[in-house]
Amino acid sequence: MKILVAVKRVIDYNVKVRIKSDHTNVDLTNTKMSMNPFCEIAVEEAIRLKEKGVASEIVVATIGSKACQETLRTALALGADRAIQVEAEDALDSLSVAKLLAKLATDENADLVIMGKQAIDSDNNQTGQMLAALLDYPQATFASEVVVEGGEAVVTREVDGGLQTLAIQLPAVITTDLRLNEPRFAKLPDIMKAKRKPLDVKTPEELGVEIKSNLEIVSVTPPPERSGGVKVTSVSELVEKLKNEAKVIS
Amino acid sequence: MSVLVISEHDNSTLKPATLNTITAAIEVGGDVHVLVAGKGSQSVVSQVSTIVGVSKVFVADNAVYEHQLAENISKLVVELASDYSHIMTPATTTGKNLLPRVAALLDVAQISDIIQVESSDTFVRPVYAGNAIATVKSTDVTKVITVRSTGFDAAVPEGGNANQVTVEQVIESNKCRFVSDQLVESDRPELTAASVIVSGGRGMGSGDNFKLLEGVADKLGAAIGASRAAVDAGFVPNDMQVGQTGKTVAPDLYVAVGISGAIQHLAGMKDSKVIVAINKDEDAPIFQIADYGLVADLFEAVPELESSL
């Protein structure tokens, strides 16, 4: 079974975001970038399926500028077999990314696509679902447990009231939630080996996908500032303030 | 211009987030119609019919819609979509699961998690875990949108009188099968709808210690939440998680107990009206946003708080 894993290069999750002074977007110059945390979990899950003998090959793909090759090398060092970079702008919208991934999934004949449930920059939570729709595959989003057996995947999903379990027929798309697994770290020899693993570069034109977007960013601003309040010295002072000053309890 | 809202429900009760979504739909303008897809969900249809501002309710009642599988509902929505300029649903796990599928089938972009309607084509949404606020404009024929419930007031549930229209289409994918649900039982208000929330973090030390919070929550009529650290440590189930990867809340009062205030937690609660932090570490980042901070050992402060309420 072949697994396609989609990964995204995003601002590192520990970095405090700066907004450009002209409010056109966030400022990413000289900012630490890393693999999106949900994508790391997707890579880890694919590797575990390979270690269990369920998967035979893991192809990792990303859509973005040349700098994204670094993210692909990280995935290769963790255990992916091959990588594909689709050379494009870094912040394409989810639908364009889904169309490019749909073409890759078809060309590669992947049995399963695993990807993060959302990127921590755009916070969209869309691409996996869109990909599944374009391919007319079933989807299991926000997965916290995946068992692949006999041509189907039994997936436990994190939903608002608790958990839900679905069985989806392969080929399918699964998006990962944080609790699915704990990603491993790449070891130095694996990082060296990853440099020699194959990495193809493709363009949207080669894939026959037209990139267009009808969404325009009008402005990006900082959220309303919340200033720290006061420290109280005792529980009774706290209760008094909540009753008489903030008036949120009676 | 008219708006189709996809309701969220469990086949017997309408989820409150739908009411906030209807308010957002009314702000967009035009007729507001609501789809109720489910099985045996006549009581939900009655609830939706009386919401002020809703003029039509589509009723799709069939076993194939019982578990709201995205594969089936997305195609059903697409069947109805051509009459609408906007399709909206709450940004809950059900809405997030379904709507991008609808958008892709319609070949349009989706706007996720809006907190404000500027005009019928311009919307405001948080990005980068709430650390930036983006205003986006869509020129798509159909605007497909999920709505963050805490950004909008609830619509008035009684007083309306919508027409009911039966939808006959039955769409069933043979590629996806519901197996089971493991839902968490609770008598407390739902986290996203509660006006007071008491949340515990890693500082609680264990799942048993969360019982300490129950006394306070009972007196305040509050829901109990948790930080991701508390969930990951196995103290409480993940549906209690407040944060970027959990639920987004904006109650009148949020009491953070033993929570340091990691960026991912703040993303889920910093729009609360009043924030109280109880933490023994006076340098914890939560104090930078708390209106009232108490540096104290929670195991002493929480029982004291309970008895003084």
Side-chain angles (χ1 to χ4, degrees), chain A residues 99 122-124 126 129 136-137 139 141 152 163 165 167 169 214 216 218-219 221 226 229 232 245, chain B residues 71 96-97 101 107 112 125 128-129 133 135 137 139-140 175 177 179-180 182 270 272 290-293:
Chain A
K99 285 178 180 173
S122 58
D123 283 339
N124 273 329
Q126 298 172 357
Q129 295 89 314
D136 199 23
Y137 287 179
Q139 70 188 40
T141 51
E152 70 175 18
L163 299 171
T165 306
Q169 219 175 77
N214 294 329
E216 176 206 337
V218 180
S219 70
T221 55
R226 209 183 165 112
V232 294
E245 196 176 279
Chain B
E71 290 77 358
K96 287 172 178 175
N97 184 50
R101 227 178 145 106
D107 195 29
S112 292
R125 59 178 300 259
Y128 292 87
I133 305 294
T135 303
K137 184 179 167 139
T139 50
D140 277 319
K175 297 174 180 172
R177 185 162 52 82
V179 178
S180 65
Q182 297 135 265
K270 68 181 162 51
S272 305
D291 299 281
Y292 301 105

Side-chain angles (χ1 to χ4, degrees), chain B residues 156-171:
Chain B
V156 181
E158 301 287 339
N161 185 17
N163 291 327
Q164 296 183 13
V165 179
T166 305
V167 180
E168 302 289 355
Q169 280 98 330
V170 175
I171 294 162

Side-chain angles (χ1 to χ4, degrees), chain B residues 209-220:
Chain B
N209 291 338
F210 264 75
K211 290 198 180 75
L212 276 176
L213 301 183
E214 288 176 9
V216 176
D218 285 342
K219 290 207 165 165
L220 293 172

Side-chain angles (χ1 to χ4, degrees), chain A residues 11 13 15 17 19 26 28 38 93 95 99 117-118 120-126 129-130 132-134 136-139 141-142 152 156-169 177-179 212 214-224 226-236 238-239 241-243 245-246 248-249, chain B residues 67 69-71 75 92-93 96-97 100-101 103-105 107-112 125 127-140 174-184 220 228 231-232 238-239 241 244-245 247 252-253 263 270-276 282 287-295 301 304-305 308-309:
Chain A
I11 188 169
Y13 72 97
V15 174
V17 176
I19 291 160
V26 297
L28 294 177
F38 292 101
D93 69 19
L95 186 59
K99 285 178 180 173
K117 76 165 179 180
Q118 77 185 58
I120 60 163
D121 51 359
S122 58
D123 283 339
N124 273 329
N125 194 331
Q126 298 172 357
Q129 295 89 314
M130 288 180 161
L134 295 173
D136 199 23
Y137 287 179
Q139 70 188 40
T141 51
F142 327 141
E152 70 175 18
T156 304
R157 307 176 54 229
E158 304 207 354
V159 296
D160 284 334
L163 299 171
Q164 179 188 64
T165 306
L166 297 178
I168 54 173
Q169 219 175 77
D177 219 314
L178 279 170
R179 257 164 300 276
K212 56 154 182 128
N214 294 329
L215 265 194
E216 176 206 337
I217 295 177
V218 180
S219 70
V220 176
T221 55
R226 209 183 165 112
S227 52
V230 294
K231 289 234 172 96
V232 294
T233 51
S234 68
V235 169
S236 54
L238 175 64
V239 173
K241 288 214 186 274
L242 289 177
K243 276 185 181 159
E245 196 176 279
V248 283
I249 59 174
Chain B
H67 301 291
L69 299 179
E71 290 77 358
K75 289 184 180 166
T92 54
T93 48
K96 287 172 178 175
N97 184 50
R101 227 178 145 106
L105 294 174
D107 195 29
V108 299
Q110 181 188 298
I111 308 166
S112 292
R125 59 178 300 259
V127 290
Y128 292 87
N131 291 302
I133 305 294
T135 303
V136 293
K137 184 179 167 139
S138 163
T139 50
D140 277 319
N174 58 2
K175 297 174 180 172
C176 183
R177 185 162 52 82
F178 170 85
V179 178
S180 65
D181 268 333
Q182 297 135 265
L183 300 180
V184 180
L220 293 172
R228 184 169 167 228
V231 172
D232 282 353
N238 62 50
D239 68 311
Q241 183 181 324
Q244 186 191 7
T245 54
K247 291 193 168 97
D252 292 333
L253 173 61
I263 192 171
K270 68 181 162 51
D271 294 327
S272 305
K273 200 167 139 212
V274 173
I275 298 173
V276 170
E282 62 178 315
F287 286 122
Q288 290 164 20
I289 65 149
D291 299 281
Y292 301 105
L294 176 63
V295 180
E304 197 185 334
L305 178 62
S308 59
L309 286 170

Side-chain angles (χ1 to χ4, degrees), chain B:
Chain B
M1 200 164 62
S2 41
V3 186
L4 179 66
V5 173
I6 303 152
S7 67
E8 183 169 348
H9 60 84
D10 60 4
N11 293 313
S12 60
T13 315
L14 183 71
K15 298 279 174 174
T18 309
L19 294 171
N20 309 80
T21 305
I22 288 169
T23 299
I26 293 169
E27 288 184 22
V28 165
D31 288 340
V32 177
H33 298 169
V34 178
L35 168 67
V36 179
K39 180 193 166 203
S41 46
Q42 193 51 46
S43 65
V44 179
V45 174
S46 323
Q47 290 167 59
V48 172
S49 303
T50 61
I51 299 171
V52 176
V54 177
S55 58
K56 196 192 277 186
V57 185
F58 290 107
V59 184
D61 205 294
N62 194 289
V64 303
Y65 303 130
E66 182 177 6
H67 301 291
Q68 316 282 327
L69 299 179
E71 290 77 358
N72 301 339
I73 310 260
S74 59
K75 289 184 180 166
L76 179 68
V77 173
V78 169
E79 294 273 324
L80 299 168
S82 59
D83 294 334
Y84 295 92
S85 55
H86 296 72
I87 298 175
M88 302 170 93
T89 199
T92 54
T93 48
T94 309
K96 287 172 178 175
N97 184 50
L98 166 70
L99 216 61
R101 227 178 145 106
V102 173
L105 294 174
L106 295 172
D107 195 29
V108 299
Q110 181 188 298
I111 308 166
S112 292
D113 242 343
I114 64 161
I115 54 170
Q116 207 180 311
V117 175
E118 290 253 294
S119 71
S120 63
D121 63 2
T122 307
F123 307 91
V124 179
R125 59 178 300 259
V127 290
Y128 292 87
N131 291 302
I133 305 294
T135 303
V136 293
K137 184 179 167 139
S138 163
T139 50
D140 277 319
V141 186
T142 315
K143 275 89 173 162
V144 174
I145 297 166
T146 60
V147 176
R148 181 174 287 195
S149 58
T150 56
F152 299 88
D153 293 334
V156 181
E158 301 287 339
N161 185 17
N163 291 327
Q164 296 183 13
V165 179
T166 305
V167 180
E168 302 289 355
Q169 280 98 330
V170 175
I171 294 162
E172 185 173 20
S173 166
N174 58 2
K175 297 174 180 172
C176 183
R177 185 162 52 82
F178 170 85
V179 178
S180 65
D181 268 333
Q182 297 135 265
L183 300 180
V184 180
E185 300 288 332
S186 171
D187 298 333
R188 298 183 187 284
E190 205 168 329
L191 202 49
T192 47
S195 59
V196 181
I197 295 173
V198 181
S199 260
R202 198 195 295 276
M204 298 302 297
S206 76
D208 284 344
N209 291 338
F210 264 75
K211 290 198 180 75
L212 276 176
L213 301 183
E214 288 176 9
V216 176
D218 285 342
K219 290 207 165 165
L220 293 172
I224 297 184
S227 69
R228 184 169 167 228
V231 172
D232 282 353
F235 297 173
V236 289
N238 62 50
D239 68 311
M240 286 170 66
Q241 183 181 324
V242 172
Q244 186 191 7
T245 54
K247 291 193 168 97
T248 310
V249 299
D252 292 333
L253 173 61
Y254 189 90
V255 185
V257 181
I259 292 177
S260 65
I263 192 171
Q264 104 93 29
H265 186 71
L266 301 186
M269 49 65 86
K270 68 181 162 51
D271 294 327
S272 305
K273 200 167 139 212
V274 173
I275 298 173
V276 170
I278 301 174
N279 204 304
K280 66 180 175 192
D281 173 11
E282 62 178 315
D283 296 323
I286 190 82
F287 286 122
Q288 290 164 20
I289 65 149
D291 299 281
Y292 301 105
L294 176 63
V295 180
D297 184 345
L298 70 92
F299 295 104
E300 289 165 17
V302 172
E304 197 185 334
L305 178 62
E306 183 188 340
S307 58
S308 59
L309 286 170

Side-chain angles (χ1 to χ4, degrees), chain A residues 1-247:
Chain A
M1 182 178 95
K2 192 195 270 192
I3 301 180
L4 177 67
V5 182
V7 297
K8 185 178 184 184
R9 177 177 182 264
V10 297
I11 188 169
D12 187 86
Y13 72 97
N14 282 313
V15 174
K16 191 164 162 50
V17 176
R18 292 185 312 267
I19 291 160
K20 288 183 182 170
S21 53
D22 63 359
H23 291 168
T24 51
N25 214 329
V26 297
D27 189 357
L28 294 177
T29 45
N30 299 321
T31 304
K32 186 183 180 204
M33 305 292 279
S34 306
M35 190 190 294
N36 178 45
F38 292 101
C39 304
E40 284 184 359
I41 293 167
V43 172
E44 175 68 29
E45 195 63 21
I47 298 166
R48 290 185 188 192
L49 286 170
K50 193 176 175 193
E51 287 169 348
K52 281 182 201 150
V54 175
S56 50
E57 188 183 22
I58 303 169
V59 181
V60 60
T62 196
I63 321 287
S65 64
K66 190 154 193 278
C68 298
Q69 290 190 4
E70 188 189 320
T71 312
L72 292 175
R73 291 287 172 201
T74 305
L76 292 171
L78 290 167
D81 297 294
R82 256 176 339 107
I84 303 170
Q85 176 217 353
V86 179
E87 178 71 38
E89 281 175 59
D90 273 322
L92 287 185
D93 69 19
S94 308
L95 186 59
S96 302
V97 171
K99 285 178 180 173
L100 291 164
L101 291 175
K103 188 66 177 29
L104 291 181
T106 313
D107 289 354
E108 290 288 341
N109 214 356
D111 301 282
L112 184 59
V113 183
I114 307 183
M115 55 203 295
K117 76 165 179 180
Q118 77 185 58
I120 60 163
D121 51 359
S122 58
D123 283 339
N124 273 329
N125 194 331
Q126 298 172 357
T127 310
Q129 295 89 314
M130 288 180 161
L131 173 64
L134 295 173
L135 293 167
D136 199 23
Y137 287 179
Q139 70 188 40
T141 51
F142 327 141
S144 59
E145 196 187 344
V146 174
V147 179
V148 178
E149 54 188 9
E152 70 175 18
V154 178
V155 181
T156 304
R157 307 176 54 229
E158 304 207 354
V159 296
D160 284 334
L163 299 171
Q164 179 188 64
T165 306
L166 297 178
I168 54 173
Q169 219 175 77
L170 302 183
V173 177
I174 293 174
T175 73
T176 60
D177 219 314
L178 279 170
R179 257 164 300 276
L180 180 58
N181 60 48
E182 189 135 339
R184 67 193 69 189
F185 293 99
K187 295 190 196 75
L188 189 61
D190 294 331
I191 295 171
M192 302 308 289
K193 262 187 254 165
K195 291 183 178 165
R196 293 191 300 274
K197 287 186 178 175
L199 191 160
D200 286 342
V201 179
K202 294 179 192 281
T203 63
E205 294 74 40
E206 280 169 27
L207 295 171
V209 175
E210 193 200 344
I211 304 294
K212 56 154 182 128
S213 180
N214 294 329
L215 265 194
E216 176 206 337
I217 295 177
V218 180
S219 70
V220 176
T221 55
E225 196 71 31
R226 209 183 165 112
S227 52
V230 294
K231 289 234 172 96
V232 294
T233 51
S234 68
V235 169
S236 54
E237 189 189 345
L238 175 64
V239 173
E240 191 273 320
K241 288 214 186 274
L242 289 177
K243 276 185 181 159
N244 301 322
E245 196 176 279
K247 297 190 182 8

